[in-house]
Amino acid sequence: MRPDLQKAVVARVGDYEIRRCEREDVQAVISINMETLPEHYSDYFYYEILAEFPETFLVAEIDGALIGYVMCRIEYGFSHLKRLGLARKGHVVSIAVKPEHRGKGVGTMLMHASQDAMVAKTATESYLEVRVTNAEAIALYQRLGYASSSRLEAYYKDGEAALVMATRLGQ
Ligand code: ACO
Ligand code: ZN
């Protein structure tokens, strides 16, 4: 492969490479989502986010196979950290790693790399929603500095509540 055609790796952890998602990757991302999460989206939703926010839509790859992704949006609205303030926010819409590749730092690296990309897009905070029973994900977010900012009752279709977690970015 010509070096200029090589896909730009933004981070590595072990033999895993983190790079930007491309259109050809979206079907594999959708498969990972179907396998790992109860929250699914239309194909259109993924392509739309990729078209609008390509910098913060990242995938993790090993030996040419996609095994994880993080998909984010940059939004402007009420801060989750300052009372009554407005902020540019990086919203982690969805993150997942295939079960057999968990516990190796891929999820952490996907989050770090997406946060770096949010900072490059001048976001000053990041937030996400997570099921109140998703202890593994909540622990990961806490290690990255996210703290719970509110709770949304019956946020998910099955009636479960979400924690909204947020962190400051860039300092
Ligand atoms: N070697 C071994 N273990 C490690 C390493 C390493 N190099 N690095 C980190 N770990 C440990 C961490 O300490 C952590 O352990 P602990 O949680 O038991 O204390 C654990 O591995 C997980 O950290 P990572 O490996 O960085 O994360 P992982 O790649 O396993 O991905 C994720 C975490 C994405 C939450 C995964 O569990 C997953 O896909 N879950 C299902 C989907 C899901 O729930 N997604 C989040 C929904 S909420 C949302 O999308 C906004
Ligand atoms: Zn969300």
Side-chain angles (χ1 to χ4, degrees):
M1 191 187 264
R2 276 163 51 198
D4 57 318
L5 290 181
Q6 254 165 26
K7 296 173 178 174
V9 174
V10 299
R12 287 177 203 277
V13 49
D15 292 331
Y16 296 94
E17 292 182 341
I18 311 286
R19 60 169 176 80
R20 278 202 202 171
C21 184
E22 299 183 7
R23 281 186 67 85
E24 309 84 82
D25 300 317
V26 170
Q27 288 305 323
V29 167
I30 292 171
S31 303
I32 296 171
N33 169 270
M34 294 299 259
E35 179 188 352
T36 56
L37 277 167
E39 284 66 54
H40 308 308
Y41 315 96
S42 65
D43 290 14
Y44 175 79
F45 183 80
Y46 293 88
Y47 287 107
E48 180 79 356
I49 293 201
L50 181 60
E52 218 179 326
F53 307 105
E55 301 87 354
T56 50
F57 195 151
L58 304 175
V59 293
E61 189 172 52
I62 189 161
D63 299 330
L66 287 205
I67 56 87
Y69 71 89
V70 62
M71 169 168 81
C72 311
R73 262 194 318 241
I74 305 291
E75 301 168 356
Y76 185 70
F78 286 109
S79 170
H80 292 271
L81 301 169
K82 310 178 280 189
R83 246 169 72 82
L84 302 176
L86 291 166
R88 229 163 113 80
K89 306 179 287 187
H91 177 179
V92 183
V93 174
S94 184
I95 178 172
V97 173
K98 289 182 87 161
E100 61 272 30
H101 297 279
R102 289 182 195 158
K104 295 180 172 160
V106 175
T108 301
M109 195 53 79
L110 282 169
M111 288 293 294
H112 274 305
S114 68
Q115 289 186 328
D116 288 348
M118 289 170 188
V119 170
K121 298 301 287 179
T122 70
T124 55
E125 58 188 73
S126 172
Y127 81 99
L128 54 84
E129 301 92 13
V130 58
R131 285 177 179 267
V132 291
T133 56
N134 193 344
E136 199 170 1
I138 291 171
L140 172 82
Y141 304 142
Q142 282 172 337
R143 276 196 300 274
L144 289 164
Y146 287 76
S148 171
S149 71
S150 61
R151 183 184 161 113
L152 305 173
E153 295 305 329
Y155 180 76
Y156 297 99
K157 280 197 182 116
D158 58 10
E160 192 170 338
L163 279 187
V164 181
M165 299 184 76
T167 188
R168 191 175 298 281
L169 292 177
Q171 61 246 347

